[in-house]
Amino acid sequence: MKKTFIILTLLLSLSSCLEKKEVNKNEFEERLAEYVYEDNRFDPIAYISNPKKTDTICISEISKAKNDIKKEGISFIQEVGFSYGINRYNKELKELCKQKGLIHKIEFKRCMALRLSCYSLYMDKALMEKFGTDFKEKMHKEADSLFLINAVNKTISYGDLDDRPRLPNKKERKSNDLGYVYVQNPEIKIESTKWDDLPFMDIDFVVHKDSTISDFNVNNFVARGNDRFKKELFNLTVNKIKTDYPIWIPGSIKGIPLKSNNNVRVHFIKK
């Protein structure tokens, strides 16, 4: 649920960014000109110690960071964008921050081109001065280790795994597709043999650490006019999985097998 909220917020932020593109175009270009990412000599932490006088946005953000530190303390900023920052261990990271007297904040990037914030950079500088230069990296690693400890006796989402559950004859998981389920009921309408025209169902189930499976549910059903046969097709699918694919190599984190959910897709075709 929390991941869904973050993703929705990012989508809304992008929409807002696109709507205001013309208004803020020069502002963003100026910021990007200040931060020359391709130049390896550029040091963002050094820059915020002495920003250009013309960079009023950065100066304003630094001022806000200083005021916030005085009022509430140092913040641990977690930058989140469309392709980075949404971590499986967010809960553990937030708890670690609390233990160390830090405020955990998520900073959403409103435009994908703009990756740095002088506010977050100043907070990072304050963290380095108090805890050391590699503090944030250590915190992320410790939070991930705590996530693994907490996950050992839970059913976790396959999206949080390093390696998803796979069949014993596969070296790695490359697809959700399990092929066809053959249908005999003449009332079920399957008039095409083309892959894209076939009804299909996404099934969620649990893969246990001992490689057994249980707890089947429908995640998605594209009926192609066969909505009233959903239960029948679900039962056919579960029977196929239990009969043809009863054993799964459990998913893992750092090589440790874990109990997790799994998702597969089957297409229905007439026998």
Side-chain angles (χ1 to χ4, degrees):
M1 181 63 73
K2 188 175 290 184
K3 282 187 179 180
T4 302
F5 170 76
I6 291 174
I7 292 170
L8 287 173
T9 303
L10 287 169
L11 289 172
L12 290 171
S13 296
L14 177 61
S15 175
S16 174
C17 172
L18 293 174
E19 289 174 2
K20 299 177 181 179
K21 186 176 181 181
E22 293 302 318
V23 176
N24 295 329
K25 184 176 180 182
N26 291 334
E27 176 183 317
F28 289 136
E29 287 179 351
E30 288 172 6
R31 290 295 306 277
L32 291 172
E34 300 289 352
Y35 297 137
V36 186
Y37 297 105
E38 293 79 8
D39 187 347
N40 292 327
R41 294 169 298 176
F42 176 71
D43 183 348
I45 298 298
Y47 178 80
I48 60 168
S49 298
N50 186 29
K52 290 185 177 181
K53 293 180 180 179
T54 55
D55 194 349
T56 56
I57 297 174
C58 187
I59 292 170
S60 175
E61 289 177 350
I62 291 171
S63 177
K64 184 178 187 314
K66 289 179 178 179
N67 289 333
D68 285 353
I69 290 173
K70 289 179 181 179
K71 291 178 181 178
E72 57 189 20
I74 304 173
S75 292
F76 187 106
I77 306 296
Q78 183 179 341
E79 294 182 349
V80 174
F82 280 89
S83 60
Y84 67 98
I86 303 176
N87 302 311
R88 62 191 177 198
Y89 51 81
N90 281 353
K91 180 181 177 181
E92 287 77 10
L93 183 59
K94 188 173 182 179
E95 182 59 32
L96 281 176
C97 288
K98 184 178 179 181
Q99 292 173 10
K100 295 185 180 296
L102 302 172
I103 301 166
H104 178 264
K105 289 182 179 179
I106 290 178
E107 183 176 284
F108 296 103
K109 291 301 156 190
R110 294 188 177 274
C111 284
M112 288 181 283
L114 187 60
R115 297 293 294 272
L116 291 175
S117 154
C118 288
Y119 180 91
S120 63
L121 284 172
Y122 191 85
M123 287 295 181
D124 286 353
K125 179 174 179 288
L127 288 174
M128 290 179 188
E129 291 172 349
K130 185 171 182 177
F131 299 102
T133 56
D134 57 351
F135 174 72
K136 287 191 79 172
E137 181 182 356
K138 287 180 177 179
M139 284 282 281
H140 281 285
K141 288 182 178 179
E142 185 176 354
D144 197 29
S145 295
L146 287 173
F147 175 85
L148 178 54
I149 292 171
N150 294 334
V152 168
N153 295 314
K154 294 180 179 179
T155 302
I156 67 171
S157 168
Y158 67 76
D160 289 330
L161 296 166
D162 292 339
D163 296 297
R164 289 182 59 185
R166 59 181 172 82
L167 292 168
N169 63 339
K170 303 291 184 182
K171 290 184 178 181
E172 60 180 322
R173 178 73 175 271
K174 293 183 177 180
S175 172
N176 286 343
D177 183 59
L178 272 188
Y180 297 109
V181 170
Y182 292 98
V183 177
Q184 293 182 328
N185 187 340
E187 294 186 42
I188 296 178
K189 299 176 183 178
I190 304 177
E191 299 174 353
S192 174
T193 57
K194 292 182 180 179
W195 187 262
D196 292 339
D197 295 333
L198 294 174
F200 65 84
M201 185 175 285
D202 293 328
I203 299 290
D204 181 270
F205 58 93
V206 172
V207 177
H208 298 265
K209 287 185 279 187
D210 64 359
S211 292
T212 57
I213 55 179
S214 68
D215 303 298
F216 293 83
N217 293 288
V218 178
N219 262 351
N220 179 41
F221 179 41
V222 176
R224 313 286 192 210
N226 295 290
D227 299 83
R228 67 191 180 99
F229 299 107
K230 180 178 179 180
K231 185 175 181 180
E232 179 180 341
L233 292 172
F234 170 71
N235 290 333
L236 280 173
T237 302
V238 171
N239 183 63
K240 178 182 175 63
I241 295 172
K242 287 183 175 180
T243 302
D244 295 349
Y245 310 105
I247 302 298
W248 288 74
I249 304 301
S252 64
I253 292 178
K254 298 178 181 178
I256 298 174
L258 296 168
K259 179 185 176 185
S260 74
N261 74 323
N262 190 31
N263 190 69
V264 298
R265 174 172 293 182
V266 297
H267 287 76
F268 301 102
I269 193 168
K270 280 294 180 74
K271 195 168 184 177

